[in-house]
Amino acid sequence: MSALIESLQAKRVVPLVQSDDPKTALKISEALLEGGLDVLEVVLRTDAALDCLEAIAKEFPHAHVGAGTVISADQSREVIRRGATFIVSPGLDPASVKVAQDAGLPILPGISTATELTQAWNLGLRTVKLFPASLVGGPKMLKALSSVFRDVQFMPTGGVSAANLNEYLAVPAVLACGGSWLTPKAAIDAGDFAAITKLAKDAIAIANS
Ligand code: 3PG
């Protein structure tokens, strides 16, 4: 079992880190780590995202620092170069999967149908992201897919929050949930990193309940 899967199993929550500035990204990450979460997904959604990823990976070598919103093979190569230890994608891109597999890095592509999951399974993947989870059927969809794909584990993302986290985690095939609810923009803009630590602690409490 990979160290990443072990951490996902232990913490069961993957916060998104998004920032325009590596210094702020480091503060967000520190707050999440302080709250007990050690699997962080730095999303490629700002011009500074790659610099944020690199800074976090360097500063916190004991955390699992992955890159999210990766949609091409070129981006996959670049995030690996910048220090990502896993890759998450909103959809399934076989070329990105190959880059990650060749580098020996875990990749969790997004799937939202049985057909996409079949394609992911045939690429050798047994851990995928369900995206956007709440819009494609939520926990019911996960139960339906996992009754067929018995050896697949899921990371639902998209519409997961503290209010429904326990419903997702109650599905046996759910390894962990991802989401942006742990890193709200309002708290970041206000410099309220203690709020992020609290959200991380609250999520762990829900996961353990
Ligand atoms: C993702 O990249 O996985 C989603 O944007 C997360 O969705 P959320 O913002 O609803 O948590």
Side-chain angles (χ1 to χ4, degrees):
M1 192 195 309
S2 80
L4 172 68
I5 301 282
E6 254 175 62
S7 269
L8 288 174
Q9 245 160 16
K11 302 297 164 67
R12 309 204 72 197
V13 176
V14 179
L16 263 51
V17 178
Q18 175 174 345
S19 179
D20 294 317
D21 159 42
K23 279 197 190 115
T24 306
L26 286 172
K27 284 187 189 155
I28 299 167
S29 304
E30 197 177 11
L32 291 165
L33 291 164
E34 172 85 26
L37 297 177
D38 64 352
V39 183
L40 313 180
E41 180 185 331
V42 186
V43 290
L44 300 194
R45 294 187 204 165
T46 66
D47 291 344
L50 288 167
D51 293 337
C52 292
L53 168 68
E54 188 168 13
I56 298 166
K58 274 203 183 119
E59 184 77 17
F60 305 110
H62 301 301
H64 298 277
V65 181
T69 322
V70 174
I71 57 172
S72 71
D74 282 349
Q75 285 181 347
S76 298
R77 278 186 281 271
E78 184 61 12
V79 298
I80 294 170
R81 203 176 71 74
R82 299 291 194 116
T85 58
F86 68 96
I87 293 176
V88 182
S89 301
L92 177 66
D93 172 44
S96 300
V97 171
K98 185 162 187 331
V99 169
Q101 287 174 332
D102 287 351
L105 226 67
I107 180 165
L108 291 85
I111 61 95
S112 61
T113 65
T115 300
E116 291 162 6
L117 180 48
T118 301
Q119 288 164 348
W121 195 92
N122 282 309
L123 293 172
L125 301 173
R126 297 294 181 269
T127 311
V128 297
K129 158 169 160 161
L130 179 73
F131 180 78
S134 64
L135 295 179
V136 299
K140 282 186 185 157
M141 176 66 159
L142 289 158
K143 281 180 203 156
L145 289 174
S146 62
S147 72
V148 179
F149 296 87
R150 310 296 291 225
D151 56 353
V152 174
Q153 287 187 296
F154 297 86
M155 181 173 83
T157 306
V160 181
S161 69
N164 59 19
L165 178 62
N166 57 359
E167 288 165 44
Y168 280 96
L169 293 181
V171 180
V174 170
L175 180 61
C177 290
S180 63
W181 87 92
L182 297 143
T183 51
K185 191 175 179 309
I188 296 167
D189 289 349
D192 186 3
F193 298 102
I196 291 176
T197 298
K198 181 169 186 319
L199 286 166
K201 286 185 178 166
D202 290 349
I204 291 175
I206 293 169
N208 289 336
S209 67

Short mmCIF file of all heavy atoms in Angstrom, two decimals, residues 57-103:
data_model
loop_
_atom_site.label_atom_id
_atom_site.label_comp_id
_atom_site.label_asym_id
_atom_site.label_seq_id
_atom_site.Cartn_x
_atom_site.Cartn_y
_atom_site.Cartn_z
N ALA A 57 5.82 22.07 -1.46
CA ALA A 57 6.52 20.77 -1.48
C ALA A 57 7.89 20.88 -0.82
O ALA A 57 8.33 19.96 -0.11
CB ALA A 57 6.66 20.28 -2.93
N LYS A 58 8.56 22.02 -1.02
CA LYS A 58 9.89 22.22 -0.41
C LYS A 58 9.79 22.43 1.09
O LYS A 58 10.58 21.90 1.87
CB LYS A 58 10.55 23.46 -1.02
CG LYS A 58 11.29 23.15 -2.29
CD LYS A 58 12.38 24.19 -2.59
CE LYS A 58 13.04 23.86 -3.91
NZ LYS A 58 12.89 24.92 -4.90
N GLU A 59 8.80 23.24 1.49
CA GLU A 59 8.68 23.62 2.90
C GLU A 59 8.16 22.46 3.77
O GLU A 59 8.52 22.36 4.94
CB GLU A 59 7.72 24.82 3.00
CG GLU A 59 7.56 25.39 4.39
CD GLU A 59 8.73 26.26 4.82
OE1 GLU A 59 9.51 26.69 3.95
OE2 GLU A 59 8.86 26.50 6.04
N PHE A 60 7.32 21.62 3.19
CA PHE A 60 6.71 20.55 3.99
C PHE A 60 6.98 19.18 3.34
O PHE A 60 6.07 18.54 2.83
CB PHE A 60 5.20 20.79 4.13
CG PHE A 60 4.86 22.14 4.69
CD1 PHE A 60 4.28 23.13 3.90
CD2 PHE A 60 5.13 22.44 6.03
CE1 PHE A 60 3.97 24.38 4.42
CE2 PHE A 60 4.83 23.69 6.56
CZ PHE A 60 4.25 24.66 5.75
N PRO A 61 8.23 18.74 3.38
CA PRO A 61 8.58 17.49 2.69
C PRO A 61 7.92 16.25 3.29
O PRO A 61 7.83 15.23 2.62
CB PRO A 61 10.11 17.43 2.83
CG PRO A 61 10.44 18.32 3.98
CD PRO A 61 9.39 19.37 4.03
N HIS A 62 7.43 16.37 4.53
CA HIS A 62 6.80 15.18 5.14
C HIS A 62 5.31 15.09 4.85
O HIS A 62 4.68 14.09 5.15
CB HIS A 62 7.06 15.16 6.65
CG HIS A 62 8.53 15.13 6.95
ND1 HIS A 62 9.35 14.12 6.49
CD2 HIS A 62 9.33 15.99 7.60
CE1 HIS A 62 10.59 14.36 6.87
NE2 HIS A 62 10.62 15.50 7.54
N ALA A 63 4.76 16.17 4.26
CA ALA A 63 3.35 16.12 3.87
C ALA A 63 3.24 15.47 2.48
O ALA A 63 4.24 15.33 1.78
CB ALA A 63 2.78 17.53 3.83
N HIS A 64 2.03 15.07 2.11
CA HIS A 64 1.80 14.61 0.74
C HIS A 64 1.28 15.82 -0.02
O HIS A 64 0.15 16.25 0.20
CB HIS A 64 0.77 13.48 0.70
CG HIS A 64 1.21 12.27 1.45
ND1 HIS A 64 2.04 11.32 0.89
CD2 HIS A 64 0.96 11.87 2.71
CE1 HIS A 64 2.27 10.37 1.79
NE2 HIS A 64 1.63 10.68 2.89
N VAL A 65 2.11 16.37 -0.87
CA VAL A 65 1.72 17.58 -1.60
C VAL A 65 1.48 17.21 -3.06
O VAL A 65 2.42 16.89 -3.80
CB VAL A 65 2.81 18.67 -1.48
CG1 VAL A 65 2.38 19.93 -2.23
CG2 VAL A 65 3.09 18.99 -0.01
N GLY A 66 0.21 17.21 -3.43
CA GLY A 66 -0.15 16.83 -4.78
C GLY A 66 -0.58 18.03 -5.60
O GLY A 66 -0.79 19.12 -5.07
N ALA A 67 -0.71 17.81 -6.90
CA ALA A 67 -1.20 18.85 -7.80
C ALA A 67 -2.58 18.45 -8.28
O ALA A 67 -2.81 17.29 -8.65
CB ALA A 67 -0.26 19.01 -8.98
N GLY A 68 -3.50 19.42 -8.26
CA GLY A 68 -4.85 19.16 -8.75
C GLY A 68 -5.17 20.01 -9.96
O GLY A 68 -4.39 20.92 -10.32
N THR A 69 -6.31 19.73 -10.59
CA THR A 69 -6.73 20.42 -11.80
C THR A 69 -5.67 20.26 -12.90
O THR A 69 -5.42 21.18 -13.69
CB THR A 69 -7.02 21.93 -11.52
OG1 THR A 69 -7.66 22.05 -10.24
CG2 THR A 69 -7.99 22.50 -12.55
N VAL A 70 -5.07 19.10 -12.96
CA VAL A 70 -4.06 18.80 -13.98
C VAL A 70 -4.79 18.17 -15.18
O VAL A 70 -5.46 17.15 -15.01
CB VAL A 70 -3.00 17.83 -13.42
CG1 VAL A 70 -2.03 17.39 -14.50
CG2 VAL A 70 -2.25 18.48 -12.26
N ILE A 71 -4.67 18.81 -16.34
CA ILE A 71 -5.48 18.33 -17.47
C ILE A 71 -4.67 17.95 -18.72
O ILE A 71 -5.24 17.69 -19.76
CB ILE A 71 -6.58 19.36 -17.85
CG1 ILE A 71 -5.96 20.72 -18.19
CG2 ILE A 71 -7.61 19.53 -16.73
CD1 ILE A 71 -6.95 21.73 -18.75
N SER A 72 -3.35 17.93 -18.61
CA SER A 72 -2.57 17.53 -19.79
C SER A 72 -1.29 16.81 -19.36
O SER A 72 -0.85 16.92 -18.21
CB SER A 72 -2.18 18.77 -20.62
OG SER A 72 -1.19 19.52 -19.93
N ALA A 73 -0.69 16.13 -20.34
CA ALA A 73 0.58 15.43 -20.07
C ALA A 73 1.68 16.44 -19.75
O ALA A 73 2.51 16.20 -18.86
CB ALA A 73 0.96 14.59 -21.29
N ASP A 74 1.68 17.58 -20.45
CA ASP A 74 2.70 18.61 -20.17
C ASP A 74 2.59 19.10 -18.74
O ASP A 74 3.59 19.25 -18.03
CB ASP A 74 2.54 19.80 -21.13
CG ASP A 74 3.11 19.48 -22.50
OD1 ASP A 74 3.81 18.44 -22.63
OD2 ASP A 74 2.85 20.25 -23.44
N GLN A 75 1.36 19.38 -18.32
CA GLN A 75 1.17 19.83 -16.93
C GLN A 75 1.60 18.73 -15.95
O GLN A 75 2.19 19.02 -14.90
CB GLN A 75 -0.30 20.17 -16.67
CG GLN A 75 -0.73 21.50 -17.29
CD GLN A 75 -2.18 21.82 -16.98
OE1 GLN A 75 -2.94 20.97 -16.52
NE2 GLN A 75 -2.58 23.05 -17.28
N SER A 76 1.32 17.49 -16.30
CA SER A 76 1.70 16.38 -15.41
C SER A 76 3.21 16.35 -15.22
O SER A 76 3.71 16.22 -14.11
CB SER A 76 1.22 15.04 -15.97
OG SER A 76 -0.18 15.05 -16.07
N ARG A 77 3.94 16.50 -16.35
CA ARG A 77 5.41 16.50 -16.26
C ARG A 77 5.88 17.68 -15.41
O ARG A 77 6.78 17.55 -14.58
CB ARG A 77 6.02 16.58 -17.67
CG ARG A 77 6.09 15.23 -18.36
CD ARG A 77 6.83 15.31 -19.70
NE ARG A 77 5.97 15.85 -20.74
CZ ARG A 77 5.18 15.12 -21.52
NH1 ARG A 77 5.18 13.81 -21.41
NH2 ARG A 77 4.42 15.69 -22.43
N GLU A 78 5.25 18.83 -15.62
CA GLU A 78 5.69 20.04 -14.91
C GLU A 78 5.42 19.94 -13.41
O GLU A 78 6.28 20.32 -12.60
CB GLU A 78 5.00 21.27 -15.51
CG GLU A 78 5.42 22.60 -14.94
CD GLU A 78 6.91 22.94 -15.11
OE1 GLU A 78 7.62 22.26 -15.87
OE2 GLU A 78 7.36 23.89 -14.43
N VAL A 79 4.26 19.42 -13.02
CA VAL A 79 3.99 19.34 -11.57
C VAL A 79 4.91 18.34 -10.90
O VAL A 79 5.30 18.52 -9.74
CB VAL A 79 2.50 19.06 -11.24
CG1 VAL A 79 1.62 20.18 -11.76
CG2 VAL A 79 2.03 17.70 -11.73
N ILE A 80 5.30 17.30 -11.63
CA ILE A 80 6.25 16.33 -11.06
C ILE A 80 7.60 17.02 -10.86
O ILE A 80 8.24 16.90 -9.81
CB ILE A 80 6.39 15.09 -11.96
CG1 ILE A 80 5.06 14.31 -12.00
CG2 ILE A 80 7.52 14.18 -11.47
CD1 ILE A 80 4.99 13.20 -13.03
N ARG A 81 8.00 17.81 -11.86
CA ARG A 81 9.25 18.56 -11.76
C ARG A 81 9.24 19.53 -10.58
O ARG A 81 10.25 19.76 -9.92
CB ARG A 81 9.45 19.35 -13.07
CG ARG A 81 10.88 19.72 -13.38
CD ARG A 81 11.00 20.42 -14.73
NE ARG A 81 10.45 21.76 -14.75
CZ ARG A 81 11.01 22.83 -14.18
NH1 ARG A 81 12.15 22.71 -13.55
NH2 ARG A 81 10.42 24.01 -14.24
N ARG A 82 8.05 20.08 -10.28
CA ARG A 82 7.93 21.05 -9.18
C ARG A 82 7.76 20.38 -7.82
O ARG A 82 7.56 21.05 -6.82
CB ARG A 82 6.73 21.97 -9.43
CG ARG A 82 6.83 22.79 -10.70
CD ARG A 82 7.91 23.85 -10.61
NE ARG A 82 7.75 24.81 -11.68
CZ ARG A 82 7.48 26.11 -11.48
NH1 ARG A 82 7.37 26.60 -10.28
NH2 ARG A 82 7.34 26.92 -12.52
N GLY A 83 7.72 19.06 -7.80
CA GLY A 83 7.71 18.38 -6.50
C GLY A 83 6.42 17.72 -6.07
O GLY A 83 6.33 17.24 -4.93
N ALA A 84 5.42 17.69 -6.95
CA ALA A 84 4.16 17.02 -6.58
C ALA A 84 4.43 15.53 -6.33
O ALA A 84 5.22 14.91 -7.05
CB ALA A 84 3.13 17.17 -7.70
N THR A 85 3.76 14.98 -5.32
CA THR A 85 3.93 13.55 -5.06
C THR A 85 2.70 12.74 -5.47
O THR A 85 2.68 11.53 -5.35
CB THR A 85 4.26 13.28 -3.58
OG1 THR A 85 3.21 13.81 -2.77
CG2 THR A 85 5.58 13.91 -3.19
N PHE A 86 1.66 13.44 -5.92
CA PHE A 86 0.52 12.76 -6.55
C PHE A 86 -0.20 13.78 -7.43
O PHE A 86 0.05 14.99 -7.33
CB PHE A 86 -0.42 12.14 -5.51
CG PHE A 86 -1.18 13.11 -4.65
CD1 PHE A 86 -2.47 13.51 -4.96
CD2 PHE A 86 -0.58 13.64 -3.50
CE1 PHE A 86 -3.16 14.41 -4.15
CE2 PHE A 86 -1.27 14.54 -2.69
CZ PHE A 86 -2.56 14.93 -3.01
N ILE A 87 -1.05 13.26 -8.32
CA ILE A 87 -1.75 14.12 -9.28
C ILE A 87 -3.24 13.82 -9.23
O ILE A 87 -3.66 12.66 -9.13
CB ILE A 87 -1.20 13.87 -10.71
CG1 ILE A 87 0.26 14.34 -10.80
CG2 ILE A 87 -2.06 14.57 -11.77
CD1 ILE A 87 0.94 14.04 -12.14
N VAL A 88 -4.03 14.89 -9.29
CA VAL A 88 -5.49 14.75 -9.36
C VAL A 88 -5.96 15.52 -10.60
O VAL A 88 -5.46 16.60 -10.89
CB VAL A 88 -6.17 15.33 -8.09
CG1 VAL A 88 -7.68 15.13 -8.16
CG2 VAL A 88 -5.61 14.68 -6.82
N SER A 89 -6.90 14.93 -11.33
CA SER A 89 -7.43 15.58 -12.53
C SER A 89 -8.95 15.64 -12.44
O SER A 89 -9.56 14.75 -11.85
CB SER A 89 -7.09 14.77 -13.78
OG SER A 89 -5.69 14.64 -13.91
N PRO A 90 -9.56 16.65 -13.05
CA PRO A 90 -11.02 16.69 -13.05
C PRO A 90 -11.63 15.60 -13.95
O PRO A 90 -12.74 15.15 -13.74
CB PRO A 90 -11.36 18.09 -13.57
CG PRO A 90 -10.12 18.57 -14.25
CD PRO A 90 -8.96 17.85 -13.65
N GLY A 91 -10.87 15.22 -15.00
CA GLY A 91 -11.36 14.20 -15.93
C GLY A 91 -10.29 13.17 -16.20
O GLY A 91 -9.22 13.18 -15.56
N LEU A 92 -10.56 12.28 -17.14
CA LEU A 92 -9.63 11.18 -17.43
C LEU A 92 -8.87 11.47 -18.72
O LEU A 92 -9.45 11.47 -19.80
CB LEU A 92 -10.42 9.88 -17.57
CG LEU A 92 -9.61 8.63 -17.95
CD1 LEU A 92 -8.63 8.26 -16.84
CD2 LEU A 92 -10.54 7.47 -18.24
N ASP A 93 -7.57 11.73 -18.60
CA ASP A 93 -6.72 11.96 -19.77
C ASP A 93 -5.65 10.86 -19.80
O ASP A 93 -4.72 10.89 -18.98
CB ASP A 93 -6.07 13.34 -19.68
CG ASP A 93 -5.02 13.52 -20.77
OD1 ASP A 93 -5.31 13.14 -21.93
OD2 ASP A 93 -3.92 14.00 -20.47
N PRO A 94 -5.77 9.89 -20.71
CA PRO A 94 -4.83 8.76 -20.72
C PRO A 94 -3.37 9.20 -20.81
O PRO A 94 -2.50 8.55 -20.21
CB PRO A 94 -5.25 7.95 -21.95
CG PRO A 94 -6.70 8.26 -22.11
CD PRO A 94 -6.85 9.70 -21.71
N ALA A 95 -3.08 10.30 -21.52
CA ALA A 95 -1.67 10.74 -21.65
C ALA A 95 -1.14 11.21 -20.29
O ALA A 95 0.02 10.94 -19.95
CB ALA A 95 -1.57 11.86 -22.68
N SER A 96 -1.96 11.90 -19.52
CA SER A 96 -1.54 12.33 -18.18
C SER A 96 -1.35 11.12 -17.27
O SER A 96 -0.40 11.07 -16.47
CB SER A 96 -2.59 13.24 -17.55
OG SER A 96 -2.77 14.39 -18.32
N VAL A 97 -2.24 10.15 -17.41
CA VAL A 97 -2.14 8.94 -16.59
C VAL A 97 -0.80 8.25 -16.88
O VAL A 97 -0.09 7.83 -15.97
CB VAL A 97 -3.33 7.98 -16.86
CG1 VAL A 97 -3.11 6.63 -16.19
CG2 VAL A 97 -4.63 8.61 -16.39
N LYS A 98 -0.44 8.20 -18.17
CA LYS A 98 0.81 7.51 -18.55
C LYS A 98 2.03 8.23 -17.96
O LYS A 98 2.95 7.58 -17.46
CB LYS A 98 0.93 7.41 -20.08
CG LYS A 98 2.14 6.59 -20.48
CD LYS A 98 2.09 6.10 -21.89
CE LYS A 98 3.24 5.15 -22.23
NZ LYS A 98 4.48 5.31 -21.52
N VAL A 99 2.01 9.56 -18.02
CA VAL A 99 3.14 10.32 -17.45
C VAL A 99 3.30 9.97 -15.97
O VAL A 99 4.41 9.70 -15.49
CB VAL A 99 2.92 11.85 -17.62
CG1 VAL A 99 3.94 12.64 -16.80
CG2 VAL A 99 3.01 12.23 -19.09
N ALA A 100 2.19 9.97 -15.25
CA ALA A 100 2.25 9.69 -13.81
C ALA A 100 2.72 8.25 -13.58
O ALA A 100 3.59 8.00 -12.74
CB ALA A 100 0.88 9.91 -13.18
N GLN A 101 2.15 7.33 -14.33
CA GLN A 101 2.52 5.92 -14.13
C GLN A 101 4.00 5.68 -14.44
O GLN A 101 4.68 4.97 -13.71
CB GLN A 101 1.62 5.01 -14.98
CG GLN A 101 0.21 4.92 -14.43
CD GLN A 101 -0.74 4.15 -15.34
OE1 GLN A 101 -0.55 4.10 -16.57
NE2 GLN A 101 -1.77 3.55 -14.76
N ASP A 102 4.48 6.31 -15.51
CA ASP A 102 5.90 6.14 -15.87
C ASP A 102 6.80 6.70 -14.78
O ASP A 102 7.92 6.21 -14.57
CB ASP A 102 6.21 6.84 -17.20
CG ASP A 102 5.62 6.07 -18.38
OD1 ASP A 102 5.14 4.94 -18.18
OD2 ASP A 102 5.63 6.61 -19.52
N ALA A 103 6.31 7.75 -14.08
CA ALA A 103 7.11 8.35 -13.01
C ALA A 103 6.88 7.65 -11.67
O ALA A 103 7.49 8.03 -10.67
CB ALA A 103 6.77 9.83 -12.89
#
